[in-house]
Amino acid sequence: MSKLAVLHFPDPRLRKKAIPVKTIDMGIKQLSQDMLETMYAENGIGLAATQVNMQKRVIVMDLSVEKNSPMTLVNPEITEKVGSEEMEEGCLSVPGFFETVNRAEKISFQYLNLDGEKIEDSADGLLAVCIQHEIDHLDGKLFIDYLSSIKRQRIRKKFEKQEKVRAL
Ligand code: ZN
């Protein structure tokens, strides 16, 4: 396994749309392992391939406190959304920022597991929020896109300033 570099906002590569995985081969299994290692190392609960500059529809998550329940969803899709709920979200690509986002409260979803089996399931609470957040990444969307443009501008300025300091 090896740790991958996580792209940070406002990197334009975070806006690329990921393409569906055709075959779950060794490359996809390796990507899943590397993404999990990266997510654990960065103390995240979810990571999308887009965030490590791979335009493939793969997401990994682990919502357990013990960090022993890794999940890999290949070609995940939301098939139904019910209700709405507000939750504070953060993102490994927008480090240090936590903002309240409104999303569907309950979702039905489907995906392929690493054995290539099609799984249909439903989720609510944190898992529902996490899946919606990660699938957004695959479509080039970030949680801060749901905020007002003033707020988003403020975050962008802060990140650009940090980039400049690092470049000095
Ligand atoms: Zn994120």
Side-chain angles (χ1 to χ4, degrees), residues 29-64:
K29 288 178 186 172
Q30 185 65 49
L31 174 64
S32 151
Q33 286 302 311
D34 290 345
M35 284 171 63
L36 281 166
E37 186 183 335
T38 306
M39 180 189 79
Y40 288 130
E42 303 252 349
N43 292 316
I45 58 169
L47 187 70
T50 310
Q51 292 177 276
V52 291
N53 197 29
M54 290 291 286
Q55 283 75 49
K56 294 181 191 299
R57 299 192 80 82
V58 176
I59 64 177
V60 297
M61 295 179 290
D62 189 341
L63 304 189
S64 69

Side-chain angles (χ1 to χ4, degrees), residues 59-73:
I59 64 177
V60 297
M61 295 179 290
D62 189 341
L63 304 189
S64 69
V65 178
E66 302 82 11
K67 298 291 166 209
N68 58 4
S69 305
M71 286 189 275
T72 299
L73 277 57

Side-chain angles (χ1 to χ4, degrees), residues 1-21:
M1 292 212 285
S2 55
K3 196 174 166 281
L4 307 166
V6 176
L7 302 177
H8 285 173
F9 174 78
D11 194 310
R13 291 173 290 180
L14 286 167
R15 298 305 186 180
K16 288 188 181 174
K17 205 169 149 65
I19 53 170
V21 172

Side-chain angles (χ1 to χ4, degrees), residues 63-125:
L63 304 189
S64 69
V65 178
E66 302 82 11
K67 298 291 166 209
N68 58 4
S69 305
M71 286 189 275
T72 299
L73 277 57
V74 177
N75 298 342
E77 265 176 65
I78 292 168
T79 52
E80 198 187 358
K81 290 184 178 186
V82 181
S84 72
E85 186 177 37
E86 287 196 325
M87 208 182 268
E88 192 173 70
E89 295 183 26
C91 179
L92 293 179
S93 292
V94 195
F97 284 90
F98 299 90
E99 296 285 350
T100 302
V101 177
N102 193 300
R103 296 193 189 266
E105 183 186 1
K106 289 182 183 166
I107 58 165
S108 298
F109 62 104
Q110 59 182 44
Y111 63 97
L112 298 176
N113 65 17
L114 286 177
D115 295 321
E117 296 161 337
K118 186 177 169 185
I119 312 285
E120 291 181 67
D121 209 345
S122 58
D124 57 13

